[in-house]
Amino acid sequence: MAKRKLKFIEKVIVLSTVLMVILLIGFWLSLKRTNRVYLLPEGFSGWVTIRYNSPDAEALPLTDGAFELRIPDSGYLYTSSPLEKGWGKDTFFWLKASEKEEIPNYIQVEGQTRMFIHGRDIRHFSHEHLLKTLEVGQDTILWDGTEIERKSEREVRYQAGELSLEYFYVFDTPQDIDVPLPPIPNKEALESMQDRRLD
């Protein structure tokens, strides 16, 4: 009798373990996104701003299973593609004529970790400049799904839409991890707002 109970418990343990592994693999796969390849002009240094969900822009091309982001000299790229969330393997290159020079994520210099890419972040696009232009009772839905409604002269409802902005700073030489960065050159990176009163 004891042997039968032991066999049953062993089966339950094995089945539970298999189920847990399947769930973990499924969760891991659900967080995966498409890899990205960033192509920057030769010697580019400065802020890169990518605005996703832009309705009049082109979609990102898919090359060898990865999205290709060709950054112009201005550092600004607009695309109608959505900003996928999750983890992926991203690579960065400087374009040199027909060749590509990879920008490494990390290198070791005299025992210290140095980086070329800093301040990488994704944000909501801020439509704060519209808050004071809406009439009372007026509401609107914008290109990124942001909803704005003016409830009264001094109060608005602001529901952020899809994450639409990606930022990072590129140095042409490797820098310390905590290097101070110049200010972001525009106000698009403001965090989203909920109901708020206007001053």
Side-chain angles (χ1 to χ4, degrees), residues 33-38 88-92 105 120 166:
R33 61 164 171 78
T34 308
N35 297 333
R36 301 180 191 132
V37 176
Y38 298 83
K89 182 180 178 184
D90 299 333
T91 49
F92 300 81
N105 286 332
R120 196 169 179 202
E166 179 180 8

Side-chain angles (χ1 to χ4, degrees), residues 2 8 21 24 30-31 38 50 61 76 85 91-92 98 100 150 158 173 177:
F8 176 74
V21 169
L24 286 174
S30 72
L31 297 178
Y38 298 83
I50 303 155
Y76 288 83
K85 293 173 274 189
T91 49
F92 300 81
S98 60
K100 296 190 297 188
R150 179 174 283 281
Y158 186 104
T173 57
I177 292 176

Side-chain angles (χ1 to χ4, degrees), residues 2-12:
K3 286 185 178 179
R4 285 184 179 174
K5 283 186 177 178
L6 187 58
K7 285 183 179 179
F8 176 74
I9 291 172
E10 288 173 347
K11 287 181 180 179
V12 169

